[in-house]
Amino acid sequence: MITYLEAIREAQAHALAADPRVYLYGQDIATFGGAFKATKNLAQAYPGRVLDSPISEDAIVGSAIGAAIEGMRPIVEMQFADFSTVAFNQIVNQAATLHWRTGVPCPIIVRLPSGGTPGSGPFHSQSLEAIYAHYPGLIIVTPATVEDAYSMLLESITIEDPVIFCEHKYLYYHLKAESLPSEALPIGKARVARQGRDATVVTYSAMLHECLAAAEELAAEGWELEVVDLRSIKPIDTDTVLASVARTGRVLAVGEAWPWGGVTAEILARVASEGFNLLDAPPMRLNSKDTPVPFHPNLWGTHRPTAQTIAAAARTLLNK
Amino acid sequence: MLQKPEGSDSTQRAANFSETYRRAYRWMLLARVAEDKIRSLFLGGKVTGGVFLGKGQEAISVATGMALRDGDIFAPLIRDQAGRFAFGESVVDFTMTYIGSRSGPMRGRDGNIHRGRPREGMLPMISHLGAMVSVVNGVLMAHRFQGRRNTVGATSLGDGATSTGAFHEGLNQAAVEKLPLVLVVTNNQYAYSTPTDRQFACADLVEKAVGYGVDGHSVDGTDLTSCLKVIGGAVERARNGFGPQMVVATSLRLSGHGEHDDGHYVLPDLKDSALGRDCLQVSHSHLLKEGWADQETLDSWKRDSISQVDEAVAHAMREPLPDPAREDWCAIASRHLAEGNV
């Protein structure tokens, strides 16, 4: 069995072995192996290509941009997605604009250990995919499975643009697969994770598993939910979403991030504007509460959507 | 394309100092003439957007540009026209970017001083100050990975940029990685309208070098001789493995922040002080005094600069402007991932 975290490590090991342009840079990632061990033993296996950085997120990303201009393929770790706000300027103003301005691409990967886990609190729990997706010039991926964590990271290295790789910390140890995949859907394609005829649930990252559990719960009540895993949120595979809504007539978008704007709002905007006539009921969405992410598990468990609250939202949608 | 300065590196090294000085002066003069021309075009409504001049900082800038050679990296800032020319930027890149020509390096997508040719070693600055330092570091890290030795990366900053987090992170990163980075900090007494006593509290910015564990150098930015020696020396130290070098050059900005700003807040005492000397006039007098050029030669250099600039402006004026109907409105290089294509 291989975990989601091990898949990320294996993808980096594979990239280091296969491509001399790849190097890893981030805080505590070298001999220590990373705060989550996503780079365990890689510094030993690839001397000089896995480097500890100072606590300088801006300079970590800035240097990756310079190295990418010179033909390298840096993979940088932000340790926690929350800390990437320190690098925000380099990501959105430097990396995201370079190709547009100069025609020179900026192939960097910024790994964002994202999302909440019990006890992590306001500054180690954030899901920032939407704020990066707002900026032109970036690719945002949000793998929800072990297989996608591996294959999408490897594919990201082939992409000529900056990739914001949102890996979910809650899945690091919980999620396991039998083996690493030999083939995969390309980035940009959503996946129907569960087929159903009654309503479409559109989600991504760790919320996929909550949505699948909710679908299981509703199946016991006779409802068949179709669950779409977006996989990447920039680009969004609108076609797959609309095709599903065409089958079901109902849509619920679920995300762990905050409600104002964001991925679920984008999904509903697209469904409403491009597929209004497909809808049999007003579209719905479910997000975390509009507060910082709380520390205590009692609060955290209620702050984010769960299988239970998703199932409740789906029942409301199905009864409209 | 970047133009190649006259003469190879070896002839440059072999040439005597007076020849270096003459070449530096000619780049400074070309920059001054080019910037004066752009200013006129701006005032005449032919240039949209900001115009930012390097007036009074040409000696610092040219010394940086001339100390660099093929394979080196230069991330200029807003007052670096002389250094850009010396590093190899063509006059038409300058005029086409200000005018917004479709065939210029920025194709109307970005303008004025936000230009560069990253593949040819000239990085295009973003407006967020200090942000280029770590990008230059990354280029130098790439050179290390690739086994490209003896290259240097230089970038320019003002006194204001030394207050940013990006400056701190970048210089510290360069020091930790022992990179051949040369930071040329021009303390021109004002960041836009903010005087230095509202910018920093140390007695002299060069003191900061000690805190980062890098070499610090001070130079009178109005004196071309000192700039060539000190900045050139710092570049050589970086090239020879002594790690990051921080040069603090003092001068006075002899224009507004941009041409939209009359700089009325610049104190008269500063203008009358030694800081307020115009480096171009100082070097002009020096050339005459040392007998390195006579008045006739200086006049011919000026005529040559004017003719180069006029030609480059005419060239840019003939080039097509950006056309929104023909524009490729795709921000990413991997077109298969552009929304609508998936």
Side-chain angles (χ1 to χ4, degrees), chain A residues 21-26 29 49 51 53-54 56-78 87 90-91 94-96 98 104-111 138 159-164, chain B residues 118-119 123 131-143 145-146 169-170 173-174 177 179:
Chain A
R21 301 171 303 170
V22 172
Y23 73 96
L24 315 185
Y25 189 48
I29 68 162
R49 296 174 63 197
L51 304 176
S53 70
S56 298
E57 288 82 3
D58 183 283
I60 291 169
V61 175
S63 67
I65 294 163
I69 289 170
E70 287 300 284
M72 301 298 287
R73 294 274 167 162
I75 304 177
V76 300
E77 180 182 300
M78 287 284 102
Q90 294 289 2
I91 296 171
Q94 193 102 254
L98 185 73
V104 174
C106 185
I108 66 171
I109 298 175
V110 185
R111 288 182 41 235
L138 303 173
I159 291 176
E160 291 287 321
D161 295 289
V163 176
I164 309 300
Chain B
R119 287 268 162 75
L123 299 178
M132 300 313 294
V133 179
S134 62
V135 180
V136 176
N137 291 346
V139 172
L140 297 171
M141 287 169 74
H143 288 183
F145 282 123
Q146 294 160 347
E169 288 195 12
Q173 178 185 51
E177 291 292 338
L179 297 172

